[in-house]
Amino acid sequence: DAGVTQSPTHLIKTRGQQVTLRCSPKSGHDTVSWYQQALGQGPQFIFQYYEEEERQRGNFPDRFSGHQFPNYSSELNVNALLLGDSALYLCASSTTGSNQPQHFGDGTRLSIL
Amino acid sequence: QQQVKQSPQSLIVQKGGISIINCAYENTAFDYFPWYQQFPGKGPALLIAIRPDVSEKKEGRFTISFNKSAKQFSLHIMDSQPGDSATYFCAASIISGFQKLVFGTGTRLLVSP
């Protein structure tokens, strides 16, 4: 049973560029959340997708956007990249309902030059 | 009010000793408190979680102690082993709020042989 898979593993971009990160949830999960983890910090919630719609959003600018597909996989898009966007981007999946734990992927390490 | 404060930032424990990590929160609406373990290059993995209706939960060598009145909770790792060396994150969420996780800043644990 595959867990949460993310691609690519590493990515290097320059300021001003745009990036798309991808996530496949754990089998049976229908909800995908995205988190940003800066070096030496805890993950920060970006947004959550369920039934192909953004259900909740953290304190991130509109440069961060996402999408969920009918097969529950998801993409995170970041436009106009800034140096401060350098971080580990984590995807977590879960099933909708109370008390359902989130399972994390190993993340995409994004470096902005 | 959305913050979760975690201490210590780093911890060194002898093999066989007890590791203790503490967290405090402000938002009394939080009703789910998980602990995650993260190894370098990996995503966070759920260790153990507690709801505020119990004061303690034990799973193997890992125990969560919860003090609702003080708005504090802690992780105890009994008989700590070198393989436990990792970064530990406490988190909190509101289950009815789609489980948006608010993470602490992390504790780097080193268990010396």
Side-chain angles (χ1 to χ4, degrees):
Chain A
D1 178 22
V4 178
T5 58
Q6 293 187 241
S7 63
T9 306
H10 295 88
L11 203 51
I12 299 174
K13 292 285 187 179
T14 57
R15 282 177 297 173
Q17 285 190 311
Q18 177 265 343
V19 68
T20 298
L21 311 181
R22 295 176 174 83
C23 172
S24 292
K26 182 179 170 67
S27 177
H29 287 184
D30 57 9
T31 302
V32 173
S33 301
W34 286 92
Y35 292 80
Q36 180 195 65
Q37 186 177 21
L39 198 62
Q41 299 296 315
Q44 298 287 320
F45 177 80
I46 302 175
F47 43 53
Q48 183 181 89
Y49 277 84
Y50 172 67
E51 291 189 340
E52 301 180 48
E53 291 192 358
E54 183 181 295
R55 184 158 72 171
Q56 194 172 15
R57 189 178 185 91
N59 189 25
F60 279 80
D62 292 345
R63 299 187 296 108
F64 290 77
S65 63
H67 189 78
Q68 185 179 35
F69 299 93
N71 66 353
Y72 308 119
S73 66
S74 177
E75 289 181 349
L76 164 65
N77 301 292
V78 187
N79 295 321
L81 287 166
L82 303 173
L83 291 178
D85 295 332
S86 295
L88 180 67
Y89 288 85
L90 295 163
C91 170
S93 72
S94 59
T95 54
T96 291
S98 64
N99 216 20
Q100 297 302 311
Q102 294 187 27
H103 296 256
F104 283 82
D106 289 337
T108 294
R109 172 70 64 185
L110 176 62
S111 299
I112 311 302
L113 303 179
Chain B
Q1 257 215 339
Q2 287 295 315
Q3 280 188 325
V4 176
K5 296 182 179 179
Q6 184 172 347
S7 64
Q9 189 174 12
S10 62
L11 183 60
I12 300 175
V13 173
Q14 295 273 3
K15 178 182 175 182
I18 303 173
S19 304
I20 302 174
I21 304 170
N22 302 298
C23 285
Y25 63 97
E26 289 294 325
N27 188 349
T28 55
F30 286 143
D31 57 3
Y32 177 69
F33 302 89
W35 283 89
Y36 283 84
Q37 179 189 56
Q38 186 175 30
F39 292 104
K42 297 292 187 181
L46 179 66
L47 261 181
I48 185 173
I50 197 169
R51 297 288 305 274
D53 52 347
V54 297
S55 60
E56 186 175 283
K57 182 175 181 180
K58 183 177 181 180
E59 290 184 2
R61 295 185 295 109
F62 301 93
T63 300
I64 298 180
S65 297
F66 187 84
N67 186 330
K68 188 174 181 179
S69 60
K71 292 184 286 185
Q72 295 175 348
F73 59 110
S74 60
L75 175 70
H76 291 64
I77 306 174
M78 312 300 288
D79 188 26
S80 298
Q81 299 297 311
D84 296 331
S85 297
T87 300
Y88 292 81
F89 292 96
C90 61
S93 70
I94 303 168
I95 287 180
S96 63
F98 310 122
Q99 277 210 39
K100 163 191 168 184
L101 288 169
V102 178
F103 281 87
T105 51
T107 297
R108 293 187 68 177
L109 171 65
L110 176 64
V111 181
S112 59

